Amino acid sequence: MEKLKIGLALGGGGARGLAHIGVLRVLEKNGIIPDYIAGTSMGAIIGAMYCSGLTPDEIEKKITVFLETDIYKRMKFESLMHKESESILKNIIKIIKQKAMFFLSGVRMAFLDKSVMEEMVSYFLPDIDFQDLKIPFACVAIDITQGSEVVIKDGSIQEGVASSMSIPGIMPPVRFNGHILVDGGAIRVIPAKVVKDMGCNFAIGVDVSSKLKLIPENELNSAFDVAHRTSDIAVFTLRQIQLKEADFLLSPDVKEVRWFELKKFSECILAGENEVKTKLSDLKNKINSNKFKTFIKQVFN
């Protein structure tokens, strides 16, 4: 008799995605082990680490140590920490104005060098293929030349994850399997459809995306402001539609954490733990209900 197959879809959100560690920890302690995992951006690297065999505690330890490494210092995220900045694009504009990214526009493709990106991914993940993982895993990226979503399930895990978390303008695009790839978070907030396509029949989605804030009219002072706000609304609307693809949704309270604030990892992990604990009873009930439905369907088919 085939059992209910659970999929876990981990969304992207930069540092907010560290909440996935807390989610995995509480799910595991309660015997909820996913049969499939898919991730976008930060969800890709956390998901891949877990699927490679690392425990949530081990993943947290690696994050803690990473923040003291030369790799992290070379990422220069501290220079992005301007209180008034609310988005990647606004962060970049702020730095350009301060001449910290001299001639970035039109001269360099990204804030970070490719070597820094490669060292970061190598620090967190072993040099193995997707097929070598202990739990089936996939990650999502965008082919910027074709304008399409790419689901990565084969080849080097390091290259695949690097593709999924290559934030446009911050990290360079990754050439992989004939594609030129960047962060999949722009079009896939949680990859619930991906884990369903992999074979699960109950998808748990973890949304750590930022929320759409109300803004006063006096903040819309230019054509750029209007265009940027319109783009934000379009992306938010698309995300709300995609969130409905999950059979159960977890939304850790990390919306105030900015994407580059990795040093708030403990706060994010705790938010992930609290979210699962709060909804654990409902989650277990829904899983049991779906197990029963699966059983009945198999008996009478």
Side-chain angles (χ1 to χ4, degrees):
M1 189 70 67
E2 186 177 352
K3 73 181 186 73
L4 178 72
K5 293 182 179 178
I6 298 174
L8 186 61
L10 304 177
R16 295 187 296 274
L18 298 173
H20 296 320
I21 300 171
V23 169
L24 287 164
R25 178 177 287 148
V26 179
L27 289 178
E28 189 177 90
K29 286 181 178 179
N30 285 274
I32 303 173
I33 309 298
D35 298 282
Y36 305 95
I37 296 179
T40 298
S41 196
M42 182 62 83
I45 195 163
I46 299 298
M49 290 169 73
Y50 188 73
C51 290
S52 72
L54 292 179
T55 67
D57 288 350
E58 290 170 334
I59 296 173
E60 181 177 1
K61 178 63 176 177
K62 286 189 78 72
I63 296 289
T64 304
V65 175
F66 174 74
L67 295 176
E68 302 301 322
T69 64
D70 182 63
I71 304 171
Y72 176 72
K73 292 175 184 176
R74 289 168 57 202
M75 294 177 78
K76 301 177 183 178
F77 279 178
E78 307 294 335
S79 66
L80 297 175
M81 295 184 183
H82 302 293
K83 185 175 180 180
E84 66 272 25
S85 299
E86 296 178 350
S87 69
I88 293 174
L89 193 52
K90 288 182 180 179
N91 281 321
I92 293 175
I93 291 172
K94 180 71 177 181
I95 294 171
I96 290 174
K97 288 180 178 178
Q98 295 180 339
K99 300 182 181 180
M101 293 173 67
F102 187 65
F103 290 144
L104 172 62
S105 178
V107 177
R108 293 176 56 188
M109 190 170 285
F111 177 45
L112 297 180
D113 291 332
K114 180 181 178 182
S115 61
V116 179
M117 178 74 169
E118 291 173 343
E119 288 180 49
M120 179 191 69
V121 174
S122 296
Y123 171 85
F124 286 110
L125 294 171
D127 186 15
I128 59 175
D129 283 358
F130 278 76
Q131 289 75 13
D132 300 321
L133 296 171
K134 301 181 186 302
I135 299 174
F137 173 74
C139 55
V140 179
I142 301 171
D143 185 321
I144 57 172
T145 60
Q146 300 296 320
S148 59
E149 177 183 83
V150 176
V151 177
I152 306 169
K153 297 185 288 185
D154 302 292
S156 164
I157 189 68
Q158 290 184 355
E159 292 184 44
V161 169
S163 302
S164 181
M165 61 183 303
S166 181
I167 303 171
I170 300 296
M171 301 171 184
V174 177
R175 295 180 180 273
F176 184 61
N177 287 349
H179 300 283
I180 300 178
L181 302 172
V182 296
D183 190 330
I187 59 174
R188 183 64 59 182
V189 59
I190 56 167
K193 181 179 182 300
V194 175
V195 285
K196 288 183 176 180
D197 290 343
M198 292 171 73
C200 89
N201 38 29
F202 183 79
I204 302 170
V206 186
D207 175 31
V208 291
S209 60
S210 57
K211 308 307 177 185
L212 185 68
K213 297 181 180 179
L214 298 177
I215 63 171
E217 184 179 350
N218 60 16
E219 288 189 16
L220 299 174
N221 299 314
S222 68
F224 170 80
D225 291 336
V226 173
H228 183 66
R229 178 62 174 174
T230 304
S231 176
D232 283 347
I233 293 170
V235 170
F236 179 78
T237 302
L238 172 63
R239 287 175 171 174
Q240 296 308 110
I241 294 171
Q242 289 182 357
L243 292 177
K244 296 178 182 178
E245 295 174 350
D247 298 299
F248 194 91
L249 186 65
L250 297 168
S251 301
D253 185 14
V254 290
K255 57 182 178 296
E256 298 303 322
V257 177
R258 292 174 291 179
W259 69 272
F260 50 83
E261 293 183 307
L262 297 178
K263 290 191 174 181
K264 291 187 176 181
F265 69 95
S266 294
E267 174 185 328
C268 293
I269 293 172
L270 181 60
E273 293 176 353
N274 289 338
E275 174 69 359
V276 181
K277 290 175 181 178
T278 299
K279 296 182 178 178
L280 187 58
S281 179
D282 289 341
L283 175 58
K284 286 183 175 181
N285 287 339
K286 195 152 189 179
I287 288 175
N288 289 333
S289 175
N290 276 269
K291 283 181 178 179
F292 181 72
K293 290 178 182 177
T294 300
F295 172 76
I296 294 298
K297 184 177 180 180
Q298 290 175 354
V299 169
F300 290 100
N301 277 353

